[in-house]
Amino acid sequence: FARSSQPCMLKYRSMFVQTFNLLTQLPLRMFFWQLEEVQHIEIWMLRDLVELSRSPLVGARVSLDPRAGRRTPPQIYDASVNVHLELGFFVWLFHQFKLPTFFLGVGALFLGFIAIALLVMVL
């Protein structure tokens, strides 16, 4: 069970600033309805984790805790998780070239069986 904690800062706008921005952007909002207030936060979790085969990583939980005197966490309307993996060379090779590595593996297995059969026949 691994844990990673990382503080981050969300932008805060007071009600006065939000109202001022709404009034100044009103002409644009009348013609372009797609104006929205968006903030993207990128958080790196478990950066140097080496996964063990007997206990694989099956999930991640992200929680937002209220800070700075607030009682409730900020409102989230949409969230997404991107997973970036750094694979070893052979895993990358097997993933990129599925069919050729399959035939190479089956061929090597076949040649191994033939070599064992020849050794058994000679002995």
Side-chain angles (χ1 to χ4, degrees):
F1 184 69
R3 290 189 94 120
S4 175
S5 176
Q6 192 172 17
C8 63
M9 181 71 79
L10 296 173
K11 296 177 189 172
Y12 173 74
R13 292 184 182 169
S14 66
M15 188 59 82
F16 175 75
V17 173
Q18 288 180 2
T19 306
F20 180 75
N21 284 342
L22 176 69
L23 292 176
T24 56
Q25 294 175 0
L26 196 58
L28 290 174
R29 289 184 186 259
M30 290 172 61
F31 295 108
F32 305 106
W33 294 100
Q34 297 301 321
L35 288 177
E36 58 185 347
E37 193 173 305
V38 175
Q39 181 178 356
H40 296 279
I41 298 174
E42 186 171 315
I43 300 172
W44 291 89
M45 294 174 36
L46 309 172
R47 179 171 284 181
D48 297 322
L49 176 72
V50 177
E51 187 176 12
L52 301 174
S53 61
R54 64 180 177 270
S55 61
L57 180 67
V58 294
R61 181 179 65 189
V62 177
S63 63
L64 294 173
D65 296 327
R67 304 283 180 175
R70 294 181 56 115
R71 290 194 176 122
T72 60
Q75 294 179 354
I76 304 293
Y77 298 107
D78 187 24
S80 64
V81 175
N82 296 324
V83 178
H84 300 280
L85 298 175
E86 294 180 15
L87 302 174
F89 175 72
F90 287 110
V91 175
W92 174 83
L93 188 71
F94 295 152
H95 182 68
Q96 291 295 102
F97 304 102
K98 291 179 179 80
L99 206 56
T101 54
F102 169 74
F103 285 120
L104 282 174
V106 170
L109 193 62
F110 181 70
L111 289 176
F113 283 143
I114 288 178
I116 290 173
L118 288 175
L119 281 174
V120 169
M121 288 173 55
V122 169
L123 296 176

